[in-house]
Amino acid sequence: MNKESFLIKNLSGGYQSGLIIKDISFAVREGGFTSVIGPNGSGKTTLLRILSKVLQPRDGTILLESEDISKICLKDFCKKVAFVSSDIAVNFPFSVWEIVSMGRIPHLKRMQQEKKEDLAAINAALVMTDTAHLKDKSLDEISAGEKQRVFIARALAQEPQIVLLDEPTSHLDIGHQIHILDLLTKLNREKKLTIIMALHDLNLASQYCDQIILLDNGKIFKSGPPEEVLTYQNIENVYRTTVVVKENPLNSKPYVVLVPSDCKK
Ligand SMILES: Nc1ncnc2c1ncn2[C@@H]1O[C@H](COP(=O)(O)OP(=O)(O)O)[C@@H](O)[C@H]1O
Ligand SMILES: [Mg+2]
């Protein structure tokens, strides 16, 4: 049986103003590729913030390789888990190199300079994300799509076992969307990197992920492999819009076609 990376049991949490995530339970196996989908405001970002220790849960437990994450100190947690937030605003003009180097902080002792293996990890992350040519630029001199790749590079420089990504392709053109998702797939297959990401695009979730968690108003409406989750009934119930679900002839995965109102009979 596969080992579990994350085991989430009866998790609830949110903000002072209200509970957003309501009694959620699921498991992500080691080397799994999971996406969290759901309408705007359904709680995807909040769930990732709780899983990455940015927000404390109100109730329930999160086990990371059988250990309760509330008992793991942040530095040790960050050696294993990296988080790529969708919020790419930075209020200081760090260079790309400086941002990506920050990924090494969990691995360094206090005041310690980067060693050879740290520099190698930073350079590898820059090359993998196609950002090496930007390394001396300041973050305020590059585009939103380039910034998104730089923050993914920082997470990869961290050399985590699990990476959590919040809508990692939202600012990317289709070429770079495929480039990043293909890169994550390669790391997932070759390095057994466990991936959990919130995605807007149902078809990208279907093509790339082995498990999909469909959130509706902070609860799991359905979770499982793409063909069980991406049925037209589930999508219509949660997104309240009409769709047609076909099969991608290249890989038999579900393919969601949007239906504009004037196409309906
Ligand atoms: N910092 C915050 N403080 C209070 N409420 C928030 C905060 N961030 C998000 N919310 C609320 O939590 C709900 C879920 O938001 P979010 O997790 O961002 O959803 P999603 O990522 O699926 O669009 C929304 O109703 C949103 O208004
Ligand atoms: Mg969000």
Side-chain angles (χ1 to χ4, degrees):
M1 215 180 83
N2 278 316
K3 248 172 72 183
E4 276 144 356
S5 266
F6 259 131
L7 185 59
I8 289 121
K9 288 192 214 157
N10 305 108
L11 183 72
S12 297
Y15 309 93
Q16 287 220 314
S17 50
L19 199 65
I20 305 296
I21 296 300
K22 298 157 195 149
D23 198 20
I24 277 186
S25 302
F26 66 94
V28 176
R29 65 173 176 82
E30 192 179 275
F33 200 147
T34 297
S35 65
V36 181
I37 61 170
N40 293 337
S42 56
K44 303 180 293 295
T45 297
T46 307
L47 175 62
L48 291 185
R49 283 187 186 144
I50 299 173
L51 296 184
S52 58
K53 262 169 102 76
V54 173
L55 273 180
Q56 272 204 356
R58 186 104 36 108
D59 229 325
T61 47
I62 304 167
L63 303 181
L64 170 64
E65 294 164 345
S66 313
E67 206 178 341
D68 191 329
I69 69 164
S70 66
K71 305 208 166 74
I72 308 176
C73 76
L74 195 58
K75 187 168 173 172
D76 287 343
F77 183 78
C78 291
K79 282 183 193 156
K80 291 191 175 169
V81 182
F83 178 41
V84 183
S85 165
S86 59
D87 178 12
I88 54 172
V90 176
N91 43 20
F92 187 85
F94 287 110
S95 72
V96 166
W97 175 269
E98 284 169 327
I99 290 283
V100 179
S101 324
M102 288 174 194
R104 297 306 299 168
I105 291 174
H107 298 276
L108 300 176
K109 298 204 178 81
R110 238 171 91 84
M111 309 299 280
Q112 189 190 23
Q113 280 286 324
E114 288 125 356
K115 295 198 291 271
K116 228 165 79 184
E117 68 257 29
D118 300 306
L119 299 176
I122 297 165
N123 277 313
L126 287 165
V127 170
M128 282 190 282
T129 54
D130 188 22
T131 52
H133 60 293
L134 303 170
K135 72 180 169 49
D136 299 320
K137 290 216 175 202
S138 150
L139 272 203
D140 50 20
E141 291 174 317
I142 62 175
S143 73
E146 289 167 337
K147 260 190 234 172
Q148 202 154 30
R149 276 153 40 219
V150 168
F151 285 104
I152 294 170
R154 178 173 70 180
L156 298 181
Q158 214 168 313
E159 295 185 315
Q161 292 162 20
I162 302 175
V163 62
L164 306 165
L165 305 107
D166 193 3
E167 307 214 8
T169 57
S170 57
H171 294 283
L172 304 182
D173 61 63
I174 49 170
H176 278 109
Q177 284 186 20
I178 300 292
H179 170 83
I180 288 295
L181 291 171
D182 282 351
L183 169 65
L184 292 172
T185 304
K186 185 165 178 264
L187 294 170
N188 174 254
R189 291 196 185 138
E190 292 174 9
K191 304 228 158 117
K192 292 259 168 284
L193 180 70
T194 304
I195 297 166
I196 306 174
M197 64 181 172
L199 268 189
H200 229 67
D201 189 317
L202 305 183
N203 286 319
L204 288 179
S206 174
Q207 303 311 303
Y208 283 94
C209 300
D210 53 53
Q211 172 173 245
I212 296 183
I213 292 168
L214 172 58
L215 288 187
D216 185 22
N217 193 19
K219 293 191 181 137
I220 296 184
F221 186 87
K222 179 85 186 156
S223 66
E227 52 279 14
E228 284 177 22
V229 177
L230 294 177
T231 63
Y232 81 89
Q233 294 99 324
N234 288 342
I235 298 169
E236 291 187 0
N237 274 325
V238 172
Y239 289 86
R240 304 194 199 307
T241 186
T242 310
V243 294
V244 172
V245 179
K246 301 263 193 202
E247 199 180 278
N248 182 342
L250 299 176
N251 59 9
S252 310
K253 301 261 177 105
Y255 191 82
V256 181
V257 183
L258 306 180
V259 181
S261 304
D262 61 2
C263 284
K264 290 178 206 160
K265 287 201 190 125

